[in-house]
Amino acid sequence: MDVDTAAVAAVIADPARATMLDALLAGEALTAGELAHAAGVAPSTASEHLRRLRAADLVEVVSAGRHRYHRLAGPDVAAALEALARISPRRTDLARSLRRVRADAALTYARTCYDHLAGTVGVALLDSLVAADRLAWRDGALRLGPDGGAWLTALDMDIERLRSSRRPLLRPCLDWTTRRPHLAGALGAAVTEHALASGWVARRTRGHRALRVTSAGRDAFRDHLGCALPPPPAT
Amino acid sequence: MDVDTAAVAAVIADPARATMLDALLAGEALTAGELAHAAGVAPSTASEHLRRLRAADLVEVVSAGRHRYHRLAGPDVAAALEALARISPRRTDLARSLRRVRADAALTYARTCYDHLAGTVGVALLDSLVAADRLAWRDGALRLGPDGGAWLTALDMDIERLRSSRRPLLRPCLDWTTRRPHLAGALGAAVTEHALASGWVARRTRGHRALRVTSAGRDAFRDHLGCALPPPPAT
DNA sequence: CGGACGTTTCGGTCTCGGCCGAAACGTGCC
DNA sequence: GGCACGTTTCGGCCGAGACCGAAACGTCCG
């Protein structure tokens, strides 16, 4: 073996750390304290965990005053976590089965995957963009389609800035729940940021991945993204 | 969190088990003894490990006389392992750096990923099949192209049998080394089986993933698969 | 400057699990 | 039937690491 898979797996293998990583999959950077709370451990314990996560390059940190904000180290980390989720057993947490079923349905419908949209909504979005010739598949890779430039301009996206990031502009990301690709890459992140900032979608709970599509968002998806969303799950 | 990521990660986190999984990524089913040898542990220890791997549904077993053959439980498991490999640190095993570099080059050029071809050769193959209209991308999924049926018939592939398997016929699998898709799914496995059986490619070492393309294979890739292979790495 | 607060370091405890060898089990072969 | 061999189970040893509280550190703010 040329790489040390066991080492990374060992870092993810602790329940507290796995919970922290899951919280970070929402894409927001969280403080050490918030992560300690999310994982249900003492701050000192969380600090140890974060040290290991940083050492393994799964998480990176940016200091801001007396807070230290942590976020996933990159899209590859998010992809690996989602791939692991696909083969993980369902949690048999009998106590809250009803709440869990609802949370499952919400996650399947709309969630963030690191920094882009996933779930039914994410998949529908990519499908619509391809159908409208704004994006196109070529050789298994996503490219801008004939009408892509005009669309980005209409959305006020600075394509040059997006292109200049080290990250690929367009990348498909295999959806853990639907098993179909959704839009990732720098553009996927930008669109998602736009949707959150414009109030098209909102987090159901701060620091959690599940999203709610607002009624304004439903219209905006139709008008600006050319995407007729399927109805959300009953809550 | 709706699934128990930490539990699966814990199973992969042990070096002995990770080594076993890596050996199984070659796609062959191996006996408990062979896996014990590969991992460098006593048979009794390996037996424990295999019990955990089975319990976690990462590995499945088929009994044959007094041997018990183990193999990966499915393509999802292989995909998760490759995703983990992408974010794993290189092993800093100074003692055998030269041998390692050579092994790296061989793996990058041609290897199996569970039961289909990966590496430069796998990616080139998928590209050629798409270029020749034998396969086609549609909505991010792989489909048979206009000339796909004729090609399969020429290769003596029983497409009905392939379709009847529970597994998707065509699936892209993101390559860990090249970061481009190669051909997976039932057809990917069938083509790979055909290539191994016909001696187009051969394992460099039994039970290991690296492949060598034979000179007959190089011709066959050109004539039967329409794929001009790039030159292999110097050994 | 001094107190409040977020974070990290340190020391001590305790549980989990990996390791082996010995022995039991089951299958194939003579 | 009896032996050989692959595999599993069991018991005992041992190290890694997860946890917490106390204390140190650094930053912000009054």
Side-chain angles (χ1 to χ4, degrees):
Chain A
M1 217 172 10
D2 46 349
V3 293
D4 196 351
T5 309
V8 204
V11 177
I12 306 175
D14 179 78
R17 287 195 292 268
T19 305
M20 290 176 174
L21 290 170
D22 184 63
L24 292 173
L25 262 180
E28 282 180 289
L30 301 176
T31 67
E34 288 172 320
L35 289 167
H37 180 72
V41 294
S44 58
T45 306
S47 181
E48 290 280 338
H49 286 313
L50 288 169
R51 201 167 51 76
R52 289 199 63 180
L53 289 170
R54 286 194 304 268
D57 280 331
L58 295 185
V59 151
E60 50 188 29
V61 65
V62 29
S63 293
R66 54 184 163 184
H67 295 277
R68 303 192 72 198
Y69 285 93
H70 295 262
R71 61 163 178 244
L72 292 191
D76 283 358
V77 177
L81 291 172
E82 290 241 332
L84 269 184
R86 269 178 78 149
I87 61 169
S88 299
R90 292 183 173 283
R91 204 181 271 289
T92 54
D93 198 342
L94 302 172
R96 25 179 134 170
S97 55
L98 179 56
R99 194 200 292 180
R100 177 118 300 141
V101 166
R102 285 184 182 154
D104 269 12
L107 274 181
T108 304
Y109 184 69
R111 68 179 186 280
T112 47
C113 167
Y114 182 48
D115 60 2
H116 53 270
L117 284 173
T120 304
V121 167
V123 169
L125 173 62
L126 177 55
D127 285 351
S128 306
L129 292 175
V130 170
D133 281 336
R134 286 162 176 166
L135 302 182
W137 291 99
R138 207 174 77 210
D139 296 337
L142 269 179
R143 309 293 164 100
L144 276 187
D147 300 345
W151 168 62
L152 287 176
T153 311
L155 270 186
D156 254 342
M157 294 271 175
D158 182 351
I159 190 172
E160 289 316 317
R161 191 177 57 82
L162 291 178
R163 271 197 208 282
S164 68
S165 94
R166 210 176 329 156
R167 196 169 166 193
L169 180 67
L170 290 161
R171 225 176 54 79
C173 176
L174 193 58
D175 203 281
W176 152 52
T177 45
T178 66
R179 310 210 164 192
R180 302 209 38 226
H182 55 248
L183 178 61
L187 181 55
V191 169
T192 306
E193 196 188 333
H194 189 290
L196 275 165
S198 310
W200 298 353
V201 297
R203 297 204 183 280
R204 285 170 184 267
T205 320
R206 164 167 163 75
H208 214 17
R209 312 171 59 192
L211 295 174
R212 192 171 44 82
V213 179
T214 64
S215 61
R218 184 163 292 274
D219 296 340
F221 263 72
R222 176 169 30 79
D223 301 336
H224 298 120
L225 305 175
C227 176
L229 292 178
T235 44
Chain B
M1 220 174 6
D2 45 348
V3 293
D4 197 351
T5 309
V8 205
V11 176
I12 306 175
D14 179 79
R17 285 194 293 265
T19 305
M20 290 175 173
L21 290 171
D22 184 63
L24 292 174
L25 262 179
E28 282 181 290
L30 302 175
T31 67
E34 288 172 319
L35 288 166
H37 181 70
V41 295
S44 59
T45 306
S47 180
E48 290 280 337
H49 287 313
L50 288 169
R51 199 166 51 78
R52 289 199 64 179
L53 289 170
R54 286 194 305 270
D57 280 332
L58 295 185
V59 151
E60 49 187 31
V61 65
V62 28
S63 294
R66 55 184 163 184
H67 295 278
R68 303 192 72 198
Y69 286 92
H70 295 262
R71 61 164 178 245
L72 292 192
D76 283 356
V77 177
L81 291 172
E82 290 241 332
L84 269 184
R86 269 180 79 150
I87 61 170
S88 299
R90 292 182 174 284
R91 204 182 272 287
T92 54
D93 198 341
L94 302 171
R96 26 180 134 169
S97 55
L98 178 58
R99 192 201 293 181
R100 177 118 303 142
V101 167
R102 285 184 179 153
D104 269 10
L107 274 182
T108 304
Y109 185 69
R111 68 177 185 283
T112 48
C113 167
Y114 182 49
D115 60 3
H116 53 270
L117 284 174
T120 303
V121 167
V123 169
L125 173 61
L126 177 54
D127 285 350
S128 305
L129 292 175
V130 170
D133 281 336
R134 286 161 176 166
L135 302 182
W137 289 100
R138 208 173 76 206
D139 296 338
L142 270 178
R143 308 292 163 101
L144 275 187
D147 301 345
W151 169 60
L152 288 177
T153 310
L155 270 186
D156 255 343
M157 294 271 175
D158 181 351
I159 189 174
E160 289 316 316
R161 190 176 58 80
L162 291 178
R163 272 198 207 281
S164 67
S165 94
R166 210 174 330 158
R167 197 168 164 193
L169 180 66
L170 291 161
R171 224 174 54 79
C173 177
L174 192 58
D175 202 281
W176 151 54
T177 45
T178 67
R179 310 211 162 192
R180 302 207 39 224
H182 55 248
L183 178 62
L187 181 55
V191 169
T192 306
E193 195 189 334
H194 189 290
L196 276 164
S198 311
W200 298 352
V201 297
R203 298 204 182 280
R204 285 170 184 267
T205 320
R206 165 167 162 75
H208 214 16
R209 310 172 60 191
L211 295 174
R212 193 170 43 81
V213 179
T214 64
S215 60
R218 183 163 294 275
D219 297 340
F221 264 71
R222 174 169 31 78
D223 300 336
H224 298 119
L225 305 175
C227 177
L229 290 177
T235 43

